[in-house]
Amino acid sequence: MTLVALIPAHNEQDRIVATLAGLYRQSVRPDRIVVVADNCDDRTARIAGHCGAEVFVPTDNKDKKAGALNQALVPLLAELDDDAQILVQDADTVLNPDFVRCAIEALEDETVGAVGGIFYGEEGGGLLGMLQRMEYQRYALEIRRKKNEAVVLTGTGTLFRASVLREVREARLAGTIGGGEGHYSLASLTEDDEMTKAVKTLGHRTVSPDGCWLTTEVMPSVRKLWHQRLRWQRGALENLRDYGWTSVTAPYFRQQMLLGAGTLALALFATFAALNLALVGWGGLSLFWTAITLLFVVERTLTVRRLGWRAALLALPLLPELLYDAFRQAVFVRSLIDLLLRREAHWVAT
């Protein structure tokens, strides 16, 4: 079995060394490491070469990350057998030392077509960075509750069977699934979310074992976070529109419906509370709602306890996370409006 790591990178000279070091520290190291230097005008390619990686430079790529990966995968897969494995990893991500070993073990189950990583936020970023780390921590717990099913074959780190990537492209060429003629869809803003649906649609399981965790970049500003989440959310909605309601997409549709219901509930609650205070005034504490609130606070605090006391203190007052949730819901509303009005979507690098 041959294992190849493929790292799409656009102007990642400040991060590529840490990313490659994470691969070199793997208990099972890749046989080859290929950095896909896409439209770089910095030293990413040179640094990657000095660190011992192969460098692939896409030709006239105008299709962002998906286009760069497609150009790299064509010659790569031509050299590999079906039992080869390909790790696709972002250049702003560091894998834990046992990531590859755990992913290979998961692929020993022949029903599994790909293994996605469980991502945690890197340190830094102040209050906004902490809120993102808390969100990612709860997302990891959600994956565990779903018996380690991979909800998304995240671009931060996913191990594929070479045969499955070939099968995806053949299905695109045959028109069974959309997205162009490459391995990754050129029609999606979120190529990893679309790839997940493609792999599942073709009958393969996707998993995220506990040992396949990694740390990735957190957005340092509200503006960058807005653009990142708008791309994620718009891409997720568009992928559901393109695939339609199927046994594979039904859970994703339900997830989006619950997000919409939560957005509506929070808006109604805020409106009712404001009107009540304005027209009736403060009526004192309700024992029932106080108990419900305390239970909610306990749950929010316990689910981030692994991040330390700072995260627990931030969860206690609720307000910071409520504002963060309101921000995410605003992203959902904006994405839904843009989709309904058919506004042109743009891939914005963060």
Side-chain angles (χ1 to χ4, degrees), residues 132-293:
Q132 291 170 76
R133 286 191 291 277
M134 293 164 70
E135 176 191 4
Y136 294 165
Q137 176 67 36
R138 294 193 180 101
Y139 179 69
L141 292 175
E142 179 185 348
I143 291 175
R144 211 164 284 138
R145 284 194 293 268
K146 292 182 177 180
K147 299 181 180 180
N148 293 97
E149 175 193 354
V151 179
V152 176
L153 293 171
T154 171
T156 54
T158 292
L159 186 67
F160 294 94
R161 297 184 190 274
S163 59
V164 169
L165 287 174
R166 287 194 177 100
E167 190 179 345
V168 168
R169 190 185 186 197
E170 288 168 3
R172 295 198 199 282
L173 290 171
T176 308
I177 55 177
E181 300 180 348
H183 299 87
Y184 278 89
S185 171
L186 300 181
S188 176
L189 287 171
T190 49
E191 73 291 325
D192 51 0
D193 177 79
E194 193 281 335
M195 177 62 81
T196 310
K197 293 175 175 59
V199 171
K200 288 185 175 184
T201 297
L202 294 174
H204 302 284
R205 291 176 58 222
T206 60
V207 298
S208 292
D210 290 339
C212 290
W213 60 269
L214 50 89
T215 56
T216 191
E217 181 183 20
V218 295
M219 294 297 102
S221 68
V222 173
R223 177 178 173 276
K224 285 181 175 292
L225 184 63
W226 174 265
H227 286 304
Q228 180 199 60
R229 298 310 173 86
L230 197 61
R231 178 168 63 86
W232 288 3
Q233 184 61 60
R234 176 74 181 269
L237 292 173
E238 289 184 347
N239 291 337
L240 289 176
R241 176 200 62 192
D242 295 341
Y243 273 81
W245 184 282
T246 68
S247 59
V248 168
T249 61
Y252 295 93
F253 271 106
R254 286 194 289 268
Q255 183 184 45
Q256 294 300 323
M257 291 174 186
L258 286 173
L259 181 56
T263 301
L264 180 61
L266 183 60
L268 290 174
F269 171 77
T271 302
F272 175 78
L275 288 174
N276 190 62
L277 283 174
L279 300 176
V280 180
W282 175 251
L285 291 175
S286 163
L287 183 60
F288 174 78
W289 287 112
T290 300
I292 293 295
T293 302

Side-chain angles (χ1 to χ4, degrees), residues 81-133:
D81 295 331
D82 275 349
D83 66 350
Q85 296 174 357
I86 299 176
L87 171 68
V88 179
Q89 176 196 344
D90 283 347
D92 58 4
T93 296
V94 178
L95 307 182
N96 93 80
D98 281 330
F99 183 101
V100 171
R101 179 185 62 80
C102 292
I104 290 174
E105 289 177 357
L107 282 182
E108 290 176 1
D109 182 342
E110 293 184 357
T111 67
V112 176
V115 181
I118 300 173
F119 52 88
Y120 296 92
E122 66 184 10
E123 292 299 318
L127 174 63
L128 189 61
M130 177 60 82
L131 288 169
Q132 291 170 76
R133 286 191 291 277

